[in-house]
């Protein structure tokens, strides 16, 4: 149980375009979802936390107008990278929690901006 | 703020060798501590956890003890297998009210076990 999926697993987009990444909890209701960014050989950096039906809470230094997060249902959260630039290229990982401390992680999405 | 420091890899071992991956933390309160594992091509999975001082978390032959006096949570396994090859992340959870149990991760340690 406790499976989280992400789609797409890999996406390439041109500079200036927007790209949407989906995160779904497949077999449980996720009251809280988290979005992380991971650079090569570095740790996961928390970008934002979202609770279903509420606005996301962004970590310091994360541009909320650039990284739009929507958590409209208990099984789906989306991250939209707007006006993407090459420096946004990274590995984006989501996780979901059913209200307790344990987070269940998706497999990640690799974004390449050309 | 909270932080986690774990030994840098990569770590390369032969099968049946003893494994230790060091992890120390800095936190303002009394966090819960975790080890996550990421197998190639997969998402992070919780390996083990400890929620208070002197607790020992264990799973799949791995163990880690929450040492408050040394602010450490070192991961150990007595005999590693090729299938243990993965990236291991130490993490702590902020249990403050309203924190949503936010996780702070170490940088990860790549373990490769050779037959």
């Amino acid at each position: 149980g406790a499976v989280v999926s992400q789609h797409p697993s890999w996406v390439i987009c041109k500079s200036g375009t927007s790209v949407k990444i989906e995160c779904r909890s497949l077999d449980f209701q996720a009251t809280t979802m988290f979005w992380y960014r991971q650079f090569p050989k570095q740790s996961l950096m928390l970008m934002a936390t979202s609770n279903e039906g509420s606005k996301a809470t962004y970590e310091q230094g994360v541009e909320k107008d650039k990284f739009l997060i929507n958590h409209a249902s208990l099984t789906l959260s989306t991250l939209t990278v707007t006006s993407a630039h090459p420096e946004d290229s990274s590995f984006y990982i989501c996780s979901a929690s059913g209200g307790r401390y344990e987070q269940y992680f998706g497999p990640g999405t690799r974004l390449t901006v050309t | 703020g909270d932080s986690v420091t774990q030994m840098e890899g990569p770590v390369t071992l032969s099968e049946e060798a003893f494994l230790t991956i060091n992890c120390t933390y800095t936190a303002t309160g009394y966090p819960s501590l975790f080890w996550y594992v990421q197998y190639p091509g997969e998402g992070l999975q919780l390996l083990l956890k400890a929620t208070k001082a002197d607790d020992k978390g264990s799973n799949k032959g791995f163990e880690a003890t929450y040492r408050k006096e040394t602010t450490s949570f070192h991961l150990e396994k007595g005999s590693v297998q090729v299938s243990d090859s993965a990236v291991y992340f130490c993490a702590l959870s902020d249990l403050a009210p309203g924190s949503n149990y936010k996780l702070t991760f170490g940088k990860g340690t790549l373990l490769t076990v050779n037959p």
Side-chain angles (χ1 to χ4, degrees):
Chain A
V3 178
V4 176
S5 69
Q6 277 185 246
H7 178 80
S9 56
W10 186 31
V11 58
I12 302 174
C13 71
K14 294 193 173 184
S15 188
T17 63
S18 296
V19 61
K20 180 185 287 188
I21 302 169
E22 292 186 349
C23 176
R24 293 181 184 272
S25 57
L26 300 185
D27 52 4
F28 68 102
Q29 293 186 324
T31 53
T32 306
M33 285 187 167
F34 303 83
W35 286 96
Y36 296 86
R37 186 170 176 177
Q38 185 180 27
F39 292 101
K41 298 184 180 181
Q42 293 195 27
S43 183
L44 281 75
M45 181 192 77
L46 180 65
M47 299 175 65
T49 304
S50 70
N51 291 301
E52 185 264 339
S54 303
K55 287 186 178 180
T57 301
Y58 290 81
E59 295 298 301
Q60 194 170 9
V62 177
E63 299 175 61
K64 60 182 179 183
D65 294 331
K66 181 168 189 62
F67 298 99
L68 301 179
I69 291 171
N70 182 278
H71 189 171
S73 79
L74 285 171
T75 59
L76 174 64
S77 176
T78 59
L79 167 67
T80 301
V81 183
T82 62
S83 187
H85 291 285
E87 58 265 29
D88 298 324
S89 298
S90 192
F91 196 56
Y92 293 88
I93 300 173
C94 75
S95 70
S97 169
R100 293 177 57 83
Y101 62 80
E102 186 162 350
Q103 295 181 28
Y104 300 96
F105 287 80
T109 296
R110 182 159 305 283
L111 169 64
T112 301
V113 184
T114 61
Chain B
D2 297 345
S3 67
V4 175
T5 303
Q6 64 182 99
M7 65 183 282
E8 293 194 22
V11 174
T12 302
L13 297 172
S14 297
E15 209 164 21
E16 299 183 3
F18 184 85
L19 168 71
T20 299
I21 301 178
N22 290 336
C23 171
T24 57
Y25 68 90
T26 303
T28 52
Y30 298 96
S32 288
L33 301 175
F34 306 84
W35 277 99
Y36 282 86
V37 59
Q38 186 176 29
Y39 298 104
E42 299 183 18
L44 274 74
Q45 302 172 25
L46 178 64
L47 179 61
L48 53 84
K49 66 180 186 293
T51 57
K52 60 183 188 296
D54 299 326
D55 265 4
K56 177 186 282 189
S58 61
N59 185 25
K60 299 181 180 181
F62 291 89
E63 292 183 339
T65 301
Y66 189 146
R67 300 285 187 201
K68 184 166 174 285
E69 63 276 14
T70 54
T71 61
S72 65
F73 193 54
H74 305 321
L75 182 68
E76 296 182 335
K77 186 173 186 182
S79 176
V80 293
Q81 305 300 313
V82 173
S83 58
D84 294 327
S85 298
V87 180
Y88 292 82
F89 292 92
C90 185
L92 65 81
S93 177
D94 180 354
L95 301 184
S99 70
N100 287 309
Y101 303 112
K102 189 167 65 174
L103 285 169
T104 300
F105 286 90
K107 289 190 174 184
T109 303
L110 172 63
L111 169 66
T112 301
V113 180
N114 295 317

